[in-house]
């Protein structure tokens, strides 16, 4: 079965959640920090966040995702579980009760995709595997960093700016622009974390809304 057929089936299932996504990231961001002293303070705060997150390599989140590639895509629920460099990402369409699971490792880049007609698929590059099987251009090997407001390992940073609150506002890596439009407040020792992330490259866009973060060890 061709990849285009798989993609059509997945989009048809996700449409039942509320319609195919037809827009990429939206809304203008407020002006970024420009004062050198304020930027330096924001960089220091970011370094502290990064240190805490490096010390907590096991984490997960639940939320909602909208995927768009050249005007075609859909919406669904997403669950992400991370253990070091290994991850399991589950996407589900509650109305149809269909679900798909991607298992991979950011170190090797390889992945296994389950839930497709014909059985699981394997690939040396999880992003290529997803694109061929579903038509979705999703930077899964970089998202583990981006979703936490960190730069992805292995890619040079083209640009990074901070909001007036001292939080990362825009990050450019690997041809993608990642905009952080909402954050959750710090809780206990846990630092602030993104709750709405919008990423775009060319005609591909991913919008992610995080409902719950969990950094407790399994």
């Amino acid at each position: 079965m061709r990849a285009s057929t798989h993609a059509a089936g997945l989009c048809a299932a996700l449409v039942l959640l509320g319609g195919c996504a037809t827009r990429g990231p939206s809304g203008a961001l407020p002006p970024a920090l420009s004062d050198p002293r304020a930027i330096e303070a924001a960089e220091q705060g970011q370094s502290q966040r990064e240190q805490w997150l490096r010390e907590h390599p096991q984490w997960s989140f639940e939320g909602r995702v909208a995927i768009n590639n050249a005007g075609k895509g859909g919406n669904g629920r997403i669950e992400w579980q991370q253990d070091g460099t290994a991850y399991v990402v589950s996407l589900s369409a509650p109305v149809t009760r269909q679900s798909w699971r991607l298992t991979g490792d950011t170190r090797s880049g390889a992945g296994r995709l389950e839930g497709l007609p014909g059985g699981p698929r394997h690939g040396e590059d999880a992003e290529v595997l997803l694109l061929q099987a579903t038509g979705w251009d999703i930077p899964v090997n970089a998202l583990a960093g981006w979703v936490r407001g960190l730069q992805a390992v292995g890619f040079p940073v083209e640009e990074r700016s901070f909001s007036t609150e001292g939080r990362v506002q825009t990050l450019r890596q690997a041809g993608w622009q990642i905009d952080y439009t909402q954050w959750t407040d710090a809780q206990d020792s846990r630092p602030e974390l993104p709750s709405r992330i919008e990423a775009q490259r060319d005609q591909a866009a991913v919008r992610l809304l995080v409902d719950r973060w969990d950094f407790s060890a399994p």
Side-chain angles (χ1 to χ4, degrees), residues 13-128:
L14 291 177
V15 166
L16 296 178
L17 290 177
C20 268
T22 57
R23 296 184 300 150
S26 60
L29 292 171
L33 281 180
S34 58
D35 179 76
R37 293 184 179 180
I39 294 174
E40 182 179 0
E43 293 280 5
Q44 292 176 352
Q46 177 68 3
S47 295
Q48 294 174 358
R49 287 188 64 256
E50 292 175 355
Q51 178 63 33
W52 191 93
L53 293 168
R54 281 195 296 267
E55 294 172 354
H56 296 78
Q58 294 178 320
W59 51 271
S60 64
F61 74 80
E62 298 176 4
R64 293 156 284 167
V65 63
I67 303 164
N68 179 15
N69 194 4
K72 297 180 180 180
N75 310 303
R77 296 290 305 177
I78 184 172
E79 295 183 8
W80 189 301
Q81 296 177 322
Q82 189 86 18
D83 186 356
T85 60
Y87 62 83
V88 178
V89 181
S90 300
L91 181 66
S92 61
V95 173
T96 62
R97 296 187 178 181
Q98 288 185 274
S99 62
W100 306 270
R101 185 170 71 170
L102 177 68
T103 305
D105 193 295
T106 56
R107 181 178 299 169
S108 67
R112 169 189 170 94
L113 184 61
E114 302 173 73
L116 295 172
R121 289 190 175 193
H122 303 261
E124 295 183 358
D125 188 316
E127 294 179 18
V128 173

